[in-house]
Amino acid sequence: LVGATELGTGSDTVRAQIAAETLGVPIDDILIYSSDTDFTPFDTGAYASSTTFISGGAVQKAALQVRSLILERAAMMLNTAMDGMTIHDQHVYAIDGQSASLAEIALHSLHTENQQQIMATASHMSLDSPPPFAAQYAEVEVDIETGQVTVNKLVMAADCGTAINPLTAQA
């Protein structure tokens, strides 16, 4: 559940990608529910591409907490240490080769020992935001009698920094 509004910039997709990568699960396993003030947490509003930086930071923090809870539960189930555990293929793998599926871990957390929901909340705020950088060049002809301007050549370049969703950064 996220409070930030999807404005057509792909922010829901980006947040799903951040959560999926952090948790080690396929993006299809992540459902983003946003912008419904009856259900979603407070968000300061739409803020263009900074939505990825700010809301994405909150998503990553929450996903890291959830990941830790998943690994903690898996360690309890497998009677092993959390050190070296990985999540992939919808399973948690211990360093000694033991594994438990995410479904088994969820069931165990809700209906077995030390019952709890695996969930987390997080916020992210930063006084620093990665600044955009762009440069443009225009070669123009101006008819000084009529004021008519003709653009002969226009060149633009933008550095988006790290593209979280490379498909949206392609021209």
Side-chain angles (χ1 to χ4, degrees):
L1 301 173
V2 294
T5 303
E6 168 60 77
L7 296 173
T9 59
S11 61
D12 281 356
T13 300
V14 166
R15 288 188 296 259
Q17 289 173 312
I18 291 168
E21 183 176 319
T22 304
L23 292 169
V25 300
I27 192 169
D28 291 342
D29 286 355
I30 305 296
L31 302 173
I32 298 291
Y33 188 78
S34 65
S35 311
D36 184 336
T37 57
D38 283 341
F39 298 104
T40 60
F42 172 77
D43 187 81
T44 56
Y47 29 89
S49 59
S50 293
T51 301
T52 297
F53 187 70
I54 301 298
S55 293
V59 167
Q60 184 180 37
K61 286 178 180 178
L64 285 168
Q65 292 174 46
V66 166
R67 179 182 176 82
S68 180
L69 292 170
I70 290 169
L71 296 178
E72 185 179 303
R73 178 61 58 160
M76 177 193 306
M77 290 172 63
L78 300 173
N79 196 27
T80 189
M82 284 176 45
D83 296 339
M85 284 186 154
T86 59
I87 303 175
H88 57 89
D89 300 326
Q90 298 177 325
H91 285 74
V92 173
Y93 295 91
I95 202 161
D96 64 4
Q98 294 185 83
S99 69
S101 73
L102 293 177
E104 291 168 333
I105 293 166
L107 187 64
H108 189 274
S109 71
L110 290 174
H111 301 292
T112 314
E113 181 178 355
N114 299 331
Q115 295 171 332
Q116 71 175 55
Q117 288 187 8
I118 295 176
M119 57 187 273
T121 62
S123 295
H124 183 74
M125 194 291 245
S126 176
L127 297 175
D128 298 318
S129 182
F133 178 80
Q136 296 88 27
Y137 166 80
E139 178 184 298
V140 298
E141 288 181 12
V142 179
D143 184 325
I144 56 174
E145 290 181 16
T146 65
Q148 173 70 37
V149 177
T150 303
V151 177
N152 294 329
K153 187 175 189 178
L154 184 62
V155 177
M156 291 185 269
D159 179 1
C160 69
T162 302
I164 303 297
N165 186 352
L167 290 176
T168 62
Q170 293 178 356

